[in-house]
Amino acid sequence: FEFSAYDTSIHLDKDMILEIEVIAGSDFKKELKAEIRYVRSVGSRGSGLFRAGVQFLNLDDAQRDELVQKVLEIYKLSFSRFKIAN
């Protein structure tokens, strides 16, 4: 999983273990553990924007499938709003 954010009060480093809460809409809320795999500065110098990749830890098959289904649902909803001209 990759995310982008601006500088936070907590400095993120590779190999850190995070306890995170994933919220998507009113029907999806999961508390998960994840390991930071990389952190990169992006954007203009001094913007504070960074991109980080995390790997979820200790997910069983049911949790993984539920997370994948929610991501696919979000993609479907997002891309259904685009109008493609002929």
Side-chain angles (χ1 to χ4, degrees):
F1 177 76
E2 183 180 84
F3 68 94
S4 297
Y6 286 96
D7 273 340
T8 65
S9 59
I10 301 169
H11 183 72
L12 299 178
D13 286 314
K14 185 179 184 316
D15 299 325
M16 285 179 73
I17 304 297
L18 304 176
E19 291 184 16
I20 60 176
E21 185 174 48
V22 179
I23 301 171
S26 61
D27 64 335
F28 188 87
K29 182 176 177 180
K30 298 287 176 204
E31 293 182 7
L32 303 168
K33 283 191 176 184
E35 179 181 357
I36 300 285
R37 304 299 288 169
Y38 64 85
V39 179
R40 294 187 186 109
S41 294
V42 295
S44 60
R45 184 174 294 167
S47 70
L49 184 62
F50 69 91
R51 189 169 284 158
V54 300
Q55 179 177 354
F56 295 117
L57 302 174
N58 305 320
L59 282 182
D60 62 29
D61 289 343
Q63 289 172 314
R64 188 192 69 235
D65 290 347
E66 190 177 12
L67 192 58
V68 167
Q69 284 298 90
K70 182 49 79 171
V71 169
L72 291 174
E73 181 183 320
I74 291 168
Y75 281 163
K76 182 179 176 182
L77 190 71
S78 297
F79 289 110
S80 70
R81 294 180 180 174
F82 288 117
K83 302 223 185 273
I84 300 173
N86 289 334

